[in-house]
Amino acid sequence: MPKVTVDGVEIEVPQGATVLQACELAGKEIPRFCYHERLSIAGNCRMCLVEVKPGPPKPQASCALPTSEGQEIRTDTPMVKQAREGVMEFLLINHPLDCPICDQGGECDLQDQSVAYGRGGSRYHENKRAVTEKYMGPLIKTVMTRCIHCTRCVRFSEEIAGVDEIGALYRGEDMQITTYLEHAAKHELSANVIDLCPVGALTSRPYAFEARPWELKKTLSIDVSDAVGANIRLDSRGREVLRALPRINDDVNEEWISDKARYQVDGLTRRRLDKVWIRKRGKLTEASWDEAFKKIAAAKPGKSIAAIAGDMLDCETMFAAKALLGAMGSDLLEGRQTGMDYDVSNLAAVNFNTTFAGLESADAILIVGSHVRWEAPLVNVRIRKAVKNGAKVFIVGPEWETTYPATFLGNDLSVLNDLPAEVAKAFEDAENPSVIVGGAGIKGAHAKAIALAEAWGAGFNVLHFSASRMGGLMLGFAQKGGIADIVAAKPKVVLALGADEVDFSQFADSLKVYIGHHGDKGAHAADIILPAAAYSEKDGTYVNTEGRVQFAEKAVFAPGDAREDWTILRALADTLGVKVGFDTFAQLQSAMIAAVPALGVEGLADYGALPKADANATASGTIEGYPIKDFYLTNPIARASAVMQQCSAELLHGNEMAEAAE
């Protein structure tokens, strides 16, 4: 490891580190616009200038200069100060004085660095350069006159998302950043360029003119739109969540989130259930909590009561429902709404065991029945990294547009029984192979995939697409035969806990009680509606598809008469005359952790070893389609979101964007 001196202090730096990284290790702040830790080095903003000896007697760009033994680096000399002031002056030559009306105001790198490193005046009095606005879709608002050509957005689209949609036209002062033929940016991670843009050139179209950063309350939360469990920050004002931003977590989402995670938040205030409703003579009519509870008690369910967990439920709500049903003498719990019935006797067999970060080092990947781009866009980013490192990818299932070279092996799962020779060889020769089974492949190929993983010494992974799935399985929300077992039991009362994907016609003779937050499919089928809190309106524990236990905090209060789910179940227990063992959230959480200790420790849960593979296992069946048909409309919050509806219509279905006058 080379030793270098930074402002007179000698430090040891890793082999291959840049001068900028060496300065940061020494605790020095280096200004930059184009450099980003997760993108390739461009070296085109020149803001990170430092003085380096031995070397030419001029400032050098520290982001692109590798360290070497004995270097003397200075970040505080008059030459460096003057050079940075000059670069800042050039950057501001054409930059408009938009700060009072710019959405980046208050969190703008250019503002911060011009104050810290700029001169405070300009000597340029020629005509300013101006650029026409570019259309980048319903999510990204552009004011390209502000662009400083750092090319972060270009590099993100090409390197991380793997979709070459943003690039540069022309040269010199005529250079412009734009999308291909000014089409919308259509990939699932497109809005991350908003976070990357160091100026106000790319800002959030739905969030435009909504708030300034200092007005907002910031709450740490977890994304529930898929099973990745991306770490997010919810920014709220009053009782409304205005935006969701990614938090850095290298093990889960790095610093990216999907467009759905970011923009479904406007759905939190639309189509909300904020009153109790009871169906009378076929029509839903407004009612009181007392009336609703009495009607449930009048059904005299006894042991004949079932609970179905939705896809975005926190573990505390599921445990409260389990405690209520347990006190009634029932164990009719299920979280797999759409009819899946895989074996859950060993949770390692339904877990993403390789972990997301571990997937990057895979050198051969077999994906069975998963449209990864839609089911888990951030896992797709990890697979892309593995491919860049030389991994080969093979996919069983209908073709979808990958962001990396991949070989599709057809829709018939029986191909796994006799893999083509080149595929088998790729996995036998691989040092770190990985198998991923998705929702469409778990029914017909689960046992065979475990057998293949064991034979190859590969990591075995199941990729879920529901945020509540692993937490539900840990809490026992699974029947041996799936939801069919609950249908067969013909319960008198069915509690649908935010469950909107269930075919409720199967429960024609049951009293259907919907405890949820949106007037979606579940509420339409319900006999009684009890308004509950969305994920942003309650504290809760979530377990992602790799078995990682994470905690989300309450950002805002639920609207109207809506209550946190566990309080509804606690009150219902009193009406039904049973004891559940908790009166406060802290008591509920303690009881849950006592029952399932793994839920009390943030981090990866230990599910033990995989079950011994069945050497005679075979795969059968055909994958007709994937569980997710529309990336933007997968849950009640997204379906209520005007932004997600627009994305679905315009980006997936090719509808023209309606102008205001229309």
Side-chain angles (χ1 to χ4, degrees):
M1 290 170 66
K3 290 182 179 174
V4 300
T5 305
V6 179
D7 291 345
V9 178
E10 187 176 81
I11 61 166
E12 207 169 32
V13 297
Q15 194 69 41
T18 62
V19 169
L20 187 150
Q21 290 168 325
C23 293
E24 292 202 326
L25 281 173
K28 302 294 179 182
E29 183 184 333
I30 303 294
R32 83 292 296 269
F33 292 111
C34 69
Y35 175 80
H36 191 277
E37 291 81 355
R38 300 183 199 279
L39 303 175
S40 62
I41 292 169
N44 55 8
C45 77
R46 318 310 287 179
M47 195 64 212
C48 62
L49 296 171
V50 295
E51 196 175 335
V52 182
K53 294 177 184 174
K58 63 176 184 178
Q60 298 190 61
S62 60
C63 70
L65 185 67
T67 53
S68 59
E69 183 68 37
Q71 270 179 336
E72 289 181 38
I73 304 161
R74 301 296 309 194
T75 69
D76 54 359
T77 62
M79 181 203 288
V80 171
K81 182 175 183 291
Q82 188 177 2
R84 289 176 181 170
E85 286 176 353
V87 169
M88 182 59 73
E89 190 175 1
F90 275 119
L91 285 174
L92 294 175
I93 275 175
N94 290 304
H95 197 80
L97 293 174
D98 275 353
C99 299
I101 58 151
C102 176
D103 275 304
Q104 199 85 348
E107 44 194 5
C108 173
D109 291 355
L110 190 64
Q111 277 184 335
D112 296 343
Q113 293 187 38
S114 59
V115 168
Y117 303 101
R119 282 183 68 247
S122 174
R123 295 167 287 186
Y124 186 85
H125 301 293
E126 310 302 318
N127 292 333
K128 300 274 186 181
R129 166 185 180 272
V131 181
T132 55
E133 306 318 340
K134 314 297 179 189
Y135 181 65
M136 289 195 182
L139 304 180
I140 305 168
K141 177 188 171 188
T142 67
V143 184
M144 299 313 287
T145 299
R146 300 171 186 160
C147 179
I148 61 168
H149 302 156
C150 70
T151 67
R152 280 186 182 182
C153 56
V154 178
R155 285 175 284 148
F156 173 83
S157 295
E158 183 184 334
E159 297 165 16
I160 306 296
V163 183
D164 291 341
E165 287 183 333
I166 303 178
L169 297 176
Y170 318 125
R171 300 178 67 183
E173 75 163 354
D174 295 325
M175 181 176 167
Q176 299 180 23
I177 303 290
T178 181
T179 50
Y180 181 68
L181 296 178
E182 287 200 39
H183 284 189
K186 289 185 179 178
H187 59 86
E188 303 75 34
L189 301 165
S190 65
N192 286 290
V193 298
I194 295 165
D195 298 331
L196 288 172
C197 185
V199 296
L202 305 177
T203 54
S204 172
R205 190 183 288 272
Y207 177 70
F209 309 123
E210 285 288 329
R212 287 297 192 194
W214 53 84
E215 297 176 72
L216 303 173
K217 185 183 102 177
K218 299 165 179 63
T219 309
L220 307 184
S221 190
I222 302 296
D223 168 42
V224 296
S225 66
D226 58 30
V228 172
N231 289 211
I232 59 173
R233 189 186 88 199
L234 295 177
D235 287 359
S236 57
R237 184 176 60 193
R239 298 187 74 160
E240 185 178 358
V241 175
L242 293 179
R243 65 176 178 177
L245 296 175
R247 288 188 286 135
I248 296 176
N249 186 330
D250 287 333
D251 294 326
V252 183
N253 57 309
E254 299 177 283
E255 59 185 271
W256 322 121
I257 53 172
S258 73
D259 291 350
K260 182 166 54 182
R262 187 186 298 265
Y263 285 119
Q264 70 173 8
V265 293
D266 74 310
L268 289 168
T269 56
R270 291 177 168 83
R271 291 194 204 161
R272 283 306 298 268
L273 299 173
D274 58 359
K275 290 183 175 64
V276 178
W277 299 85
I278 294 179
R279 193 175 297 277
K280 295 176 181 174
R281 293 183 292 280
K283 286 190 175 179
L284 286 168
T285 57
E286 204 175 311
S288 67
W289 285 99
D290 197 41
E291 193 181 346
F293 285 160
K294 280 178 179 170
K295 184 163 183 184
I296 298 169
K300 296 183 177 168
K303 292 182 180 180
S304 187
I305 182 170
I308 304 170
D311 289 346
M312 300 187 293
L313 219 54
D314 56 298
C315 292
E316 284 80 359
T317 299
M318 287 188 274
F319 181 78
K322 183 179 181 180
L324 173 61
L325 266 65
M328 301 285 289
S330 169
D331 62 354
L332 294 174
L333 305 164
E334 182 54 75
R336 299 164 295 180
Q337 305 175 61
T338 52
M340 292 184 183
D341 58 356
Y342 45 82
D343 179 20
V344 293
S345 55
N346 183 314
L347 289 185
V350 290
N351 186 46
F352 202 95
N353 298 293
T354 303
T355 73
F356 302 148
L359 193 60
E360 291 179 17
S361 57
D363 47 4
I365 300 172
L366 174 65
I367 301 171
V368 182
S370 179
H371 187 329
V372 185
R373 260 187 83 172
W374 281 8
E375 292 171 20
L378 297 169
V379 174
N380 199 55
V381 168
R382 305 281 191 171
I383 295 173
R384 184 172 157 72
K385 278 192 184 179
V387 171
K388 286 170 84 173
N389 292 332
K392 294 178 180 175
V393 178
F394 304 94
I395 303 172
V396 179
E399 292 198 18
W400 46 277
E401 190 180 339
T402 61
T403 55
Y404 36 79
T407 305
F408 282 87
L409 304 176
N411 299 2
D412 194 339
L413 288 168
S414 62
V415 70
L416 297 173
N417 302 327
D418 187 18
L419 285 166
E422 69 272 16
V423 179
K425 186 171 187 335
F427 280 90
E428 283 157 10
D429 295 348
E431 290 183 15
N432 193 17
S434 190
V435 176
I436 299 173
V437 180
I442 199 165
K443 188 171 183 67
H446 190 218
K448 182 61 180 176
I450 291 177
L452 288 173
E454 186 176 287
W456 295 330
F460 177 77
N461 308 292
V462 170
L463 183 59
H464 298 290
F465 46 86
S466 304
S468 68
R469 189 67 77 243
M470 286 308 293
L473 297 180
M474 289 170 77
L475 288 164
F477 266 73
Q479 300 293 306
K480 191 165 188 182
I483 206 161
D485 283 3
I486 291 184
V487 174
K490 295 186 177 174
K492 290 180 183 176
V493 174
V494 174
L495 301 178
L497 306 167
D500 289 278
E501 319 304 325
V502 184
D503 177 7
F504 284 101
S505 64
Q506 303 171 105
F507 300 105
D509 299 326
S510 305
L511 179 70
K512 298 178 282 293
V513 181
Y514 181 75
I515 303 174
H517 40 79
H518 277 77
D520 206 78
K521 300 169 189 173
H524 284 252
D527 300 311
I528 298 174
I529 296 173
L530 304 177
Y535 75 100
S536 57
E537 296 152 6
K538 57 186 174 182
D539 292 330
T541 305
Y542 297 90
V543 187
N544 74 355
T545 189
E546 56 176 358
R548 186 179 301 277
V549 179
Q550 303 185 106
F551 191 75
E553 296 173 7
K554 178 177 180 173
V556 293
F557 288 96
D561 289 340
R563 298 288 181 266
E564 292 183 31
D565 312 58
W566 75 269
T567 63
I568 298 171
L569 294 163
R570 174 67 187 81
L572 184 55
D574 283 348
T575 306
L576 294 171
V578 294
K579 293 270 192 288
V580 287
F582 56 84
D583 295 311
T584 65
F585 183 77
Q587 289 173 358
L588 164 62
Q589 207 169 44
S590 298
M592 179 185 78
I593 292 167
V596 186
L599 291 174
V601 184
E602 288 201 82
L604 291 172
D606 183 7
Y607 296 138
L610 275 169
K612 188 74 179 156
D614 178 2
N616 301 317
T618 57
S620 61
T622 305
I623 300 175
E624 302 297 342
Y626 297 108
I628 294 178
K629 306 291 184 250
D630 187 323
F631 170 72
Y632 297 104
L633 303 176
T634 55
N635 63 64
I637 300 174
R639 288 192 284 267
S641 162
V643 179
M644 291 294 95
Q645 289 172 14
Q646 187 181 347
C647 286
S648 173
E650 186 181 341
L651 304 181
L652 292 186
H653 303 296
N655 297 3
E656 289 293 319
M657 183 179 173
E659 296 295 334
E662 297 176 47

